[in-house]
Amino acid sequence: MSDLESLFASNAKWAEDIKRREPDFFSNLAQQQAPEYLWIGCSDSRVPANQIVDLAPGELFVHRNVANVVIHTDLNCMTVLNYAVEFLKVKHVMVTGHYGCGGVKAALENRKLGLIDYWLRNIRDVYYKHKEIVDEIQDLDARVNRLCELNVVQQVENIARSNIVQNAWARGQELSIHGWIYDIHDGILHKLVPPVDCIEQIPEQYRLY
């Protein structure tokens, strides 16, 4: 059996196991998704969103990219955010980074990798913003991990400053933005910043109303 065929076999077993435990699972799932959470995470294969928080299919709306970056000019990410907030009416947006992120490490080391350098430049900007804090850390892994944390905090700020989120708050929608980080060494999530859930938590120069 080829590698790909084994994936189809695994899929068939997975679906059968679920139907055996919960016969109506897929028929109910096919009706409508109504998740309360949007997870914005890293594409790293070691960070499976649903499994980390033990949520079933249909309970977590997910967007992933290299190093969990949120850029206002990234129409892919902004479209996901817009759909999740305005149409699915999610109540929580979680930016979830992870320690030992390869994208963050490449940005910190200013490695030349090709097209992805343009993307990682956004993390370099986070590094420059906090250069003194990061550079005073002697151990490289610890420096990378600190920048992983700072990168998450910056992406939380980017989301909260978007018109998508601020328009939701303006119309009275319940919506909180969270910054978390996942430790791949023990599987535990950690909160990095208090939730952002109102316009008053945004610096005045970034408020849209």
Side-chain angles (χ1 to χ4, degrees), residues 133-184:
I133 294 174
V134 176
D135 285 354
E136 70 180 10
I137 301 172
Q138 297 302 311
D139 179 72
L140 175 60
D141 290 339
R143 267 203 315 276
V144 170
N145 288 342
R146 185 63 181 127
L147 186 55
C148 289
E149 295 174 341
L150 293 168
N151 181 52
V152 168
V153 174
Q154 182 62 60
Q155 309 319 316
V156 169
E157 293 177 1
N158 290 349
I159 292 173
R161 295 170 184 176
S162 70
N163 62 345
I164 296 168
V165 167
Q166 294 192 31
N167 287 342
W169 286 336
R171 59 179 177 261
Q173 185 172 335
E174 180 184 350
L175 182 63
S176 299
I177 318 301
H178 309 265
W180 298 350
I181 196 157
Y182 175 70
D183 194 332
I184 59 176

Side-chain angles (χ1 to χ4, degrees), residues 13 57 82 197:
K13 181 179 183 304
N82 179 79
D197 57 15

Side-chain angles (χ1 to χ4, degrees), residues 7-191:
L7 295 182
F8 280 99
S10 296
N11 166 253
K13 181 179 183 304
W14 170 79
E16 196 57 41
D17 288 345
I18 289 179
K19 285 184 284 188
R20 184 167 53 251
R21 294 194 308 267
E22 192 175 342
D24 296 330
F25 179 84
F26 288 109
S27 58
N28 291 335
L29 188 65
Q31 298 304 310
Q32 179 65 46
Q33 64 168 336
E36 292 190 1
Y37 314 100
L38 167 60
W39 173 289
I40 298 179
C42 183
S43 299
D44 193 301
S45 60
R46 301 168 295 175
V47 191
N50 283 70
Q51 289 176 262
I52 288 173
V53 288
D54 195 24
L55 289 177
E59 295 182 333
L60 191 68
F61 201 57
V62 177
H63 176 77
R64 297 172 68 176
N65 61 48
V66 174
N68 44 269
V69 172
V70 177
I71 309 169
H72 292 158
T73 54
D74 177 9
L75 295 184
N76 187 352
C77 185
M78 289 296 104
T79 298
V80 170
L81 181 63
N82 179 79
Y83 186 76
V85 171
E86 296 196 13
F87 296 94
L88 296 178
K89 305 296 183 185
V90 298
K91 295 180 180 178
H92 302 277
V93 178
M94 300 93 75
V95 179
T96 308
H98 67 96
Y99 291 126
C101 179
V104 172
K105 183 177 182 181
L108 180 62
E109 296 176 339
N110 202 21
R111 293 163 58 190
K112 303 298 184 288
L113 301 172
L115 181 62
I116 195 175
D117 295 342
Y118 294 99
W119 184 259
L120 298 180
R121 175 61 201 223
N122 296 283
I123 305 173
R124 289 287 292 173
D125 290 340
V126 177
Y127 165 62
Y128 292 137
K129 181 179 177 181
H130 302 282
K131 190 174 188 300
E132 290 185 7
I133 294 174
V134 176
D135 285 354
E136 70 180 10
I137 301 172
Q138 297 302 311
D139 179 72
L140 175 60
D141 290 339
R143 267 203 315 276
V144 170
N145 288 342
R146 185 63 181 127
L147 186 55
C148 289
E149 295 174 341
L150 293 168
N151 181 52
V152 168
V153 174
Q154 182 62 60
Q155 309 319 316
V156 169
E157 293 177 1
N158 290 349
I159 292 173
R161 295 170 184 176
S162 70
N163 62 345
I164 296 168
V165 167
Q166 294 192 31
N167 287 342
W169 286 336
R171 59 179 177 261
Q173 185 172 335
E174 180 184 350
L175 182 63
S176 299
I177 318 301
H178 309 265
W180 298 350
I181 196 157
Y182 175 70
D183 194 332
I184 59 176
H185 296 93
D186 60 15
I188 301 299
L189 281 170
H190 302 273
K191 300 175 184 177

